[in-house]
Amino acid sequence: MTQPALTVASLIRDQPLRKACATWLPEGRYEVLELGLQQDPAAELERCWDQVDAVLLEPGVLSNETFQRLRAQGMVLPAVVVGQISGQMEYFQDEIRLPPDQMEQLSYSLDAAISRCLRRRSSRPSSDHLEGGDSQEEVGEQPNWRLPHRLQERLGYLGVFYKRDSSRFLRNLPAAERSVLLRSLQRTYRDLLISYFRDPAAANQAIESFVNTAFFIDLPITKTVEIHVNMIDDFWKKLQLEGHKQDFLKDYRLALLDVMAHLCEMYRRSLPPEVPSMTAGEGDESMAPKVIMASQVQS
């Protein structure tokens, strides 16, 4: 039997959430280690840490003291926190926040969490060049973080960020699954619009959640615009029925521009940081510049 692509430690106790995780993390691609119901989930996570690629967290299962101890030991893994958008950090700064009513996006959120960790470590300077402003936490975690090497050995590449799974693109999903995923994305977009001017930190989490899924499902730009327009239209109708002014809704075009900017940055960063140079002696043609399209890298 082949080894699953990713091993995920689940520190989730809520039964409906555990059931949702089992539904949206397909067997074969993921192996889920259920640690949330253990008497000491943190101790179990420490015991199997070397075999874990990512972690699912339910707020409140681990104490702040436990998080601090794990970080001090360099035990930081890609994390998806299953909880309401709050703008707060639960585990560490690269975690992905996913509300419970958007669990359909769970597998894509895991891909995004792993990608962010890989990218951060691939761009981080060596410990000899760390500046005084770098935290002791990041210095401590660097030499112990072996996930990039483990993924390269098991999967043959440095991480899912550089190669998306085209079979999980929106256009390639069954019609029913495609419809469910789009409705989930609409709920994410609703969250970011509601909090955009009220709570910038929470809005940023919602934007990142939306953009991560949009990137990994190869959501067409026209569909993103359609989601925005339909959502604003629904808000306009509701405000009109309640007798409120609707002019301020025009300001939410900034939210769409923000989403587009984040998505463009995702595609820009999806290109490998280095392109191997051509070897000498291959003729003048080999010296011509070659353009690498995003579609070539991603698919």
Side-chain angles (χ1 to χ4, degrees):
M1 180 177 179
T2 60
Q3 187 176 18
L6 296 171
T7 301
V8 181
S10 173
L11 279 74
I12 294 179
R13 289 176 173 168
D14 182 77
Q15 181 61 27
L17 290 182
R18 292 173 61 231
K19 184 177 181 180
C21 290
T23 300
W24 297 107
L25 293 180
E27 294 183 6
R29 181 176 174 82
Y30 302 96
E31 179 184 5
V32 179
L33 304 179
E34 295 284 358
L35 307 181
L37 298 181
Q38 299 291 332
Q39 185 174 2
D40 189 347
E44 290 298 318
L45 179 61
E46 292 181 47
R47 183 183 62 80
C48 62
W49 185 77
D50 281 334
Q51 287 75 48
V52 173
D53 301 315
V55 60
L56 299 177
L57 292 169
E58 179 184 351
V61 171
L62 299 182
S63 65
N64 290 333
E65 291 77 12
T66 299
F67 285 130
Q68 292 174 6
R69 186 180 78 250
L70 292 175
R71 288 194 293 264
Q73 296 175 5
M75 303 184 73
V76 176
L77 288 166
V80 174
V81 179
V82 181
Q84 295 299 332
I85 297 294
S86 65
Q88 301 298 315
M89 182 189 75
E90 182 79 14
Y91 184 37
F92 92 122
Q93 59 185 332
D94 283 338
E95 69 190 27
I96 303 295
R97 177 75 64 149
L98 185 66
D101 66 344
Q102 296 158 32
M103 293 293 286
E104 299 86 353
Q105 303 174 50
L106 179 58
S107 63
Y108 302 103
S109 294
L110 277 170
D111 284 352
I114 292 173
S115 297
R116 292 175 70 170
C117 287
L118 291 172
R119 186 174 68 244
R120 171 175 291 276
R121 284 152 182 81
S122 67
S123 62
R124 180 182 298 167
S126 64
S127 57
D128 292 337
H129 298 88
L130 287 175
E131 299 179 359
D134 289 322
S135 66
Q136 184 176 359
E137 166 197 326
E138 293 197 351
V139 175
E141 77 179 63
Q142 187 176 1
N144 295 324
W145 205 76
R146 295 186 290 273
L147 179 60
H149 305 291
R150 190 161 69 241
L151 283 176
Q152 189 173 24
E153 292 174 358
R154 290 167 52 186
L155 308 181
Y157 57 91
L158 283 178
V160 292
F161 193 81
Y162 295 138
K163 188 172 179 63
R164 298 175 297 174
D165 184 354
S166 60
S167 69
R168 298 165 65 226
F169 285 177
L170 183 69
R171 61 181 176 271
N172 296 328
L173 296 177
E177 187 174 345
R178 186 163 60 243
S179 178
V180 168
L181 186 56
L182 279 174
R183 288 197 297 271
S184 180
L185 269 176
Q186 290 167 357
R187 292 191 291 272
T188 306
Y189 204 88
R190 174 206 61 199
D191 288 346
L192 79 86
L193 287 180
I194 290 174
S195 58
Y196 192 74
F197 293 109
R198 181 188 306 171
D199 188 343
N204 194 57
Q205 283 186 339
I207 289 174
E208 290 180 347
S209 180
F210 182 90
V211 167
N212 288 332
T213 301
F215 175 81
F216 281 101
I217 69 173
D218 201 33
L219 184 72
I221 295 298
T222 53
K223 180 61 69 173
T224 301
V225 174
E226 179 185 325
I227 290 174
H228 174 87
V229 170
N230 289 342
M231 194 72 63
I232 293 298
D233 188 51
D234 289 342
F235 287 166
W236 187 90
K237 292 176 181 177
K238 180 177 175 61
L239 289 170
Q240 187 182 44
L241 287 174
E242 295 175 353
H244 301 298
K245 293 182 178 181
Q246 306 95 30
D247 293 345
F248 71 93
L249 290 176
K250 295 179 181 179
D251 296 338
Y252 284 92
R253 289 176 294 187
L254 294 173
L256 178 60
L257 292 175
D258 209 348
V259 168
M260 294 300 186
H262 278 73
L263 193 53
C264 287
E265 182 66 7
M266 284 283 286
Y267 277 101
R268 185 189 70 80
R269 291 181 176 179
S270 68
L271 293 172
E274 296 180 0
V275 179
S277 59
M278 302 296 290
T279 58
E282 293 183 7
D284 293 339
E285 183 178 348
S286 66
M287 301 302 292
K290 299 182 183 295
V291 178
I292 299 179
M293 304 301 293
S295 59
Q296 293 176 296
V297 177
Q298 300 304 327
S299 302

